[in-house]
Amino acid sequence: MSALKPPFTLETATAKVRAAEDAWNSRDPERVSLAYSPDSEWRNRDQFLQGRDRIREFLSDKWERELDYRLVKALWSFSDDHIAVRFQYEYHDAAGQWFRAYGNELWEFDEEGLMRRREASINDVPIAEDQRRFHWPTSASRPADHTGIPEVA
């Protein structure tokens, strides 16, 4: 993802968001962590993290709990070195309960295109399995013809 560097244009900001989505859908903590600066700062819900090692650990733990995870991100706005996104993802827990998470992220990038700051606000809503929207194979990118985030609810 670091080839997409500030200052962002609509095209490069959109590509940066899709690259992030694809990386997160891989559920590979190492791959995802490489998009962040070595000293990156995160706020994720009620957790505050710093550094790639802590991010990698957080993601490993996350995907051990959030099973069959599938994510869609959408560009909200951008400036030279900032991007705002909204997202939805679905997963189930070990007991089989499905959830849809709704959220927003604020991203700040260094000159190399690595994310130096990420702030995420996320809410989980229990859903029935037949309410799922995201059905592509796990650990795969969202299909190009998928509509993305269909609506707020």
Side-chain angles (χ1 to χ4, degrees):
M1 279 191 274
S2 62
L4 297 167
K5 301 177 182 180
F8 294 113
T9 64
L10 177 59
E11 180 182 1
T12 60
T14 301
K16 193 75 159 175
V17 171
R18 184 59 191 247
E21 175 188 307
D22 289 347
W24 280 68
N25 275 326
S26 76
R27 296 188 332 241
D28 178 346
E30 178 65 28
R31 175 182 172 189
V32 174
S33 72
L34 294 176
Y36 301 93
S37 66
D39 60 348
S40 186
E41 295 181 18
W42 274 27
R43 180 186 61 77
N44 192 88
R45 302 176 193 244
D46 62 347
Q47 294 186 318
F48 296 83
L49 313 172
Q50 185 166 11
R52 268 193 198 144
D53 290 341
R54 182 63 186 103
I55 291 166
R56 199 171 18 256
E57 179 184 308
F58 169 86
L59 293 170
S60 292
D61 292 345
K62 171 186 179 66
W63 290 318
E64 285 180 18
R65 292 184 321 276
E66 296 180 1
L67 307 173
D68 292 322
Y69 175 97
R70 291 172 183 86
L71 166 73
V72 175
K73 290 184 182 281
L75 177 66
W76 187 261
S77 66
F78 70 96
S79 66
D80 287 347
D81 63 351
H82 289 79
I83 295 177
V85 299
R86 65 188 185 108
F87 62 87
Q88 294 179 16
Y89 65 86
E90 294 175 348
Y91 68 94
H92 67 84
D93 62 17
Q97 173 62 59
W98 281 92
F99 297 88
R100 184 173 305 115
Y102 297 89
N104 303 291
E105 292 177 319
L106 303 174
W107 300 343
E108 180 180 39
F109 296 90
D110 67 16
E111 59 282 345
E112 296 302 314
L114 295 173
M115 196 181 303
R116 66 178 158 218
R117 185 170 186 85
R118 172 184 176 265
E119 297 200 20
S121 298
I122 308 166
N123 298 305
D124 297 301
V125 177
I127 60 171
E129 187 170 1
D130 65 358
Q131 293 176 302
R132 293 179 50 222
R133 298 180 180 148
F134 309 143
H135 298 279
W136 60 87
T138 57
S139 298
S141 295
R142 175 173 46 100
D145 62 350
H146 190 279
T147 58
I149 299 174
E151 56 196 52
V152 174

